Amino acid sequence: ALELTLTPALLLLQSTLDQLQEKDTAKIFSQPVNLAEVPDYLEFISQPMDFSTMRTRLEGHAYCSVADLEKDFNLMISNCLKYNSKDTMFHKTALQLQEVGGAILRHAHRQSQTIG
Ligand SMILES: CC(=O)c1c[nH]c2ccccc12
């Protein structure tokens, strides 16, 4: 049978992504921004990012470290802060997720140092 062996490092990345996504209670980051609904999105954002894309990358072993995961998380947040003006729910939600996500990632960095 296919061995779904998850190394400790991969388990840590998966757990970190789950914790980050859990904080997106409005689920505005679950899927890519719908370009059919938002036709000008790519005029402002050169590299879209969302949690489903991050999960695909994680499962495809594209992330070698917590830092790699953090890079895409920060891209996803900065895209949202850029596209959505300050007075929108999306912008305010991104600022909150940035703060709580930072704490989750700092903890994951510490854990990755102990599991090596
Ligand atoms: C995360 C984000 O920017 C968005 C998530 N859903 C959207 C719908 C229209 C415009 C932007 C968005």
Side-chain angles (χ1 to χ4, degrees):
L2 175 71
E3 278 300 301
L4 293 177
T5 53
L6 286 173
T7 66
L10 196 56
L11 278 170
L12 173 62
L13 289 176
Q14 205 135 39
S15 156
T16 304
L17 181 53
D18 291 347
Q19 291 173 62
L20 292 169
Q21 184 149 25
E22 190 189 306
K23 301 300 180 187
D24 174 25
T25 49
K27 296 190 185 311
I28 68 170
F29 297 105
S30 302
Q31 296 297 324
V33 173
N34 186 325
L35 301 180
E37 290 167 8
V38 192
D40 69 343
Y41 191 71
L42 296 183
E43 288 169 32
F44 300 87
I45 299 305
S46 59
Q47 195 187 352
M49 188 49 63
D50 69 287
F51 280 129
S52 71
T53 303
M54 289 174 67
R55 198 164 297 277
T56 302
R57 287 189 172 184
L58 190 154
E59 283 155 8
H61 301 169
Y63 297 140
C64 299
S65 64
V66 172
D68 291 339
L69 181 71
E70 185 167 23
K71 196 161 162 283
D72 274 351
F73 176 76
N74 290 337
L75 170 65
M76 180 182 78
I77 294 287
S78 59
N79 287 346
C80 185
L81 295 175
K82 194 184 302 178
Y83 184 79
N84 302 281
S85 57
K86 280 191 170 31
D87 60 338
T88 61
M89 184 275 280
F90 286 158
H91 191 104
K92 296 175 193 315
T93 303
L95 286 173
Q96 286 168 344
L97 185 60
Q98 184 176 52
E99 192 174 326
V100 75
I104 291 168
L105 286 157
R106 275 191 298 281
H107 182 253
H109 277 294
R110 285 197 300 274
Q111 280 190 297
S112 72
Q113 275 145 8
T114 49
I115 63 171

